[in-house]
Amino acid sequence: MQKKSVAVVLCGSGYLDGSEIREAVGTLWALSKHDVTVQCFAPNDTQPDVVNHLAKAIDPSVKRNMLQEAARIARSEIQSLDELNPDLFHAVIFPGGYGVAKSLCDFASQGAKGSVRPDIAKVMNQFHTQGKPIGAICIAPALVALVFKGHGFQLTLGPYSDAAKEIEKLGHKHIECDVKSCVVDEKNKIVTTPAYMVDAAPLHEIFQGIEKLVQEVLRFRAT
Amino acid sequence: MQKKSVAVVLCGSGYLDGSEIREAVGTLWALSKHDVTVQCFAPNDTQPDVVNHLAKAIDPSVKRNMLQEAARIARSEIQSLDELNPDLFHAVIFPGGYGVAKSLCDFASQGAKGSVRPDIAKVMNQFHTQGKPIGAICIAPALVALVFKGHGFQLTLGPYSDAAKEIEKLGHKHIECDVKSCVVDEKNKIVTTPAYMVDAAPLHEIFQGIEKLVQEVLRFRAT
């Protein structure tokens, strides 16, 4: 049997303007425990903003590219999202970070009224149509909620919150979940875990949740 | 008894021009399993270079600050290295990355003839003089080797290599070590693990080595 392949979609490097670094690394760490090949992707496009992570303030003088910055996490082993062929992968996983809610969609500012980058929506639809699992970490379930508006998925953003309300407005069921665990929508093959939606969670507990998400994602067989 | 505190010293964010992101996250993950407080530090100074991690080439048009970039890994919970008071900490740990060999010292270009940033050398000397353990990951043992030239420490850079030869020229003993393990210099309280010096190592095995390093560092009592 051919080795399973998993795509990991990033969008920069930094919790305030890109992928949450620790969640991305946790995903790669959990995947490395399994006999799978992993390929990272990111949109080859300019970030909407760059945040000075020391000052926690937008630096309007700087432009950065999502693919180039994500390559820092991926140790240069990364491809443009344009090159992602879902036929070649068993599953796709989206780590969180504000970049997901600002760059891959505009959920951060628009909530349930937001829209998703067409290339991201296309990839998610392709995996889902092919009966392949999607994993979404932290705020990334909001991306799933927007793409599959009205589909009645079971998703978690951790404890109930304003963000969870927006998920519900999109016609999904928000399920509260501990940071060490994950929520599995068996029917739709969607797996979600809160990670840094639980702000003060110890890092090793966040990794436990991500590890479970990866296990559940890999459990599904493509139909 | 007062909770132990551990300082983690970073120098940017990215394996080619800063701290190796995964090793830094692995350090924080391993520390989070223990009942210790953790504080990240980095020099508040401009990086000698910025590398486009997609093209793997220096981008001379860009300047970045080590502290600001390291704040991405530290989720903004970071202080300038100037503020590190060794009296308040039980131990200090240095993750690797080319930044360590280019920004914190010039081992990458000068090998055994290299020199170390005075603020880094000062911190290391203070911890060592106070009988406190130092952990060094990946290429960071080269930093230890330069600061404590001629002290005859037992250090690892993984398999024997040209870099290991430079360590020996500095009057230390290089010990080969598996990526899942670490080398402990009991007398001098120096703990080292190869991490990405073993380029193709699976990430979870690198984390095992870092986890052992953290355990050994925390085992030492300050004298």
Side-chain angles (χ1 to χ4, degrees):
Chain A
M1 209 183 90
Q2 213 191 335
K3 221 177 188 179
K4 281 182 183 171
S5 291
V6 178
V8 176
V9 178
L10 305 175
C11 55
S13 172
Y15 77 114
L16 295 176
D17 61 10
S19 289
E20 213 297 323
I21 288 174
R22 300 174 186 189
E23 293 170 3
V25 171
T27 304
L28 300 175
W29 163 81
L31 284 166
S32 85
K33 296 186 177 192
H34 297 271
D35 186 29
V36 295
T37 58
V38 177
Q39 178 62 52
C40 292
F41 296 90
N44 186 5
D45 202 354
T46 306
Q47 294 179 192
D49 61 29
V50 176
V51 176
N52 173 331
H53 279 59
L54 187 63
K56 291 191 184 184
I58 290 173
D59 181 349
S61 72
V62 181
K63 294 277 173 221
R64 293 191 185 178
N65 174 288
M66 284 185 265
L67 178 58
Q68 278 179 29
E69 297 309 317
R72 293 175 175 271
I73 299 172
R75 289 177 59 90
S76 309
E77 299 292 328
I78 193 163
Q79 295 175 12
S80 170
L81 187 64
D82 299 338
E83 299 176 52
L84 202 177
N85 178 357
D87 298 349
L88 305 180
F89 291 89
H90 168 80
V92 62
I93 299 178
F94 292 81
Y98 273 111
V100 173
K102 291 195 299 190
S103 307
L104 302 189
C105 66
D106 55 4
F107 184 84
S109 60
Q110 301 302 315
K113 294 187 182 119
S115 56
V116 176
R117 277 180 67 97
D119 51 1
I120 293 286
K122 183 182 163 197
V123 161
M124 280 201 179
N125 274 307
Q126 285 173 321
F127 274 89
H128 189 61
T129 303
Q130 294 186 18
K132 291 173 178 175
I134 298 173
I137 297 165
C138 189
I139 193 65
L143 204 58
V144 177
L146 283 169
V147 171
F148 301 101
K149 186 175 173 176
H151 283 227
F153 288 177
Q154 300 187 0
L155 303 169
T156 191
L157 292 173
Y160 196 71
S161 63
D162 286 346
K165 275 182 209 162
E166 298 301 308
I167 296 277
E168 290 178 337
K169 283 185 200 163
L170 287 162
H172 303 285
K173 184 169 171 56
H174 180 268
I175 298 179
E176 292 197 70
C177 179
D178 185 82
V179 76
K180 298 195 291 291
S181 191
C182 66
V183 166
V184 183
D185 183 324
E186 287 286 342
K187 186 181 144 210
N188 297 296
K189 301 187 181 174
I190 308 291
V191 189
T192 51
T193 187
Y196 272 115
M197 292 304 289
V198 184
D199 211 29
L203 187 52
H204 70 283
E205 294 191 0
I206 287 172
F207 271 41
Q208 282 176 45
I210 292 172
E211 191 169 18
K212 281 188 190 154
L213 174 139
V214 163
Q215 282 164 359
E216 295 292 337
V217 162
L218 294 178
R219 186 173 51 81
F220 284 114
R221 289 176 173 279
T223 46
Chain B
M1 210 182 92
Q2 213 190 336
K3 221 178 190 181
K4 282 182 184 172
S5 291
V6 178
V8 176
V9 178
L10 304 174
C11 56
S13 173
Y15 78 114
L16 294 177
D17 62 10
S19 289
E20 212 297 323
I21 287 175
R22 301 175 186 188
E23 293 170 4
V25 171
T27 304
L28 300 175
W29 163 80
L31 285 165
S32 84
K33 296 186 178 192
H34 296 272
D35 187 29
V36 295
T37 58
V38 177
Q39 178 63 51
C40 291
F41 296 90
N44 187 5
D45 203 353
T46 306
Q47 294 179 191
D49 61 30
V50 176
V51 176
N52 174 331
H53 279 58
L54 186 63
K56 293 192 183 183
I58 289 172
D59 181 350
S61 72
V62 180
K63 292 277 173 222
R64 292 191 185 178
N65 175 288
M66 284 185 265
L67 179 57
Q68 279 179 28
E69 298 307 318
R72 293 175 175 272
I73 299 171
R75 288 178 59 90
S76 310
E77 299 292 328
I78 192 163
Q79 294 175 13
S80 170
L81 188 65
D82 299 339
E83 299 174 53
L84 201 177
N85 178 355
D87 297 349
L88 306 180
F89 291 89
H90 168 79
V92 63
I93 299 178
F94 292 81
Y98 273 111
V100 172
K102 291 195 299 188
S103 308
L104 302 188
C105 66
D106 54 5
F107 185 84
S109 59
Q110 301 302 316
K113 294 188 181 116
S115 56
V116 176
R117 276 181 69 97
D119 51 1
I120 292 286
K122 184 182 163 197
V123 161
M124 280 200 179
N125 273 307
Q126 285 172 321
F127 274 88
H128 189 61
T129 303
Q130 293 186 20
K132 292 173 178 174
I134 298 173
I137 296 164
C138 187
I139 193 65
L143 204 58
V144 176
L146 283 168
V147 171
F148 301 103
K149 186 177 173 174
H151 283 227
F153 288 177
Q154 299 187 0
L155 302 169
T156 190
L157 291 174
Y160 195 72
S161 62
D162 285 346
K165 275 182 207 161
E166 299 301 307
I167 296 276
E168 290 178 336
K169 283 185 200 163
L170 287 162
H172 303 286
K173 184 170 171 54
H174 181 268
I175 298 178
E176 292 197 72
C177 178
D178 185 84
V179 76
K180 297 193 293 289
S181 191
C182 66
V183 166
V184 183
D185 183 324
E186 286 287 341
K187 186 181 146 211
N188 297 297
K189 300 186 182 174
I190 309 290
V191 189
T192 50
T193 188
Y196 273 116
M197 293 303 290
V198 184
D199 212 28
L203 187 51
H204 70 282
E205 294 191 0
I206 287 173
F207 271 41
Q208 282 176 45
I210 293 174
E211 191 169 19
K212 281 189 190 154
L213 173 141
V214 164
Q215 282 164 358
E216 295 292 336
V217 161
L218 295 177
R219 184 173 53 81
F220 286 114
R221 292 174 170 280
T223 47

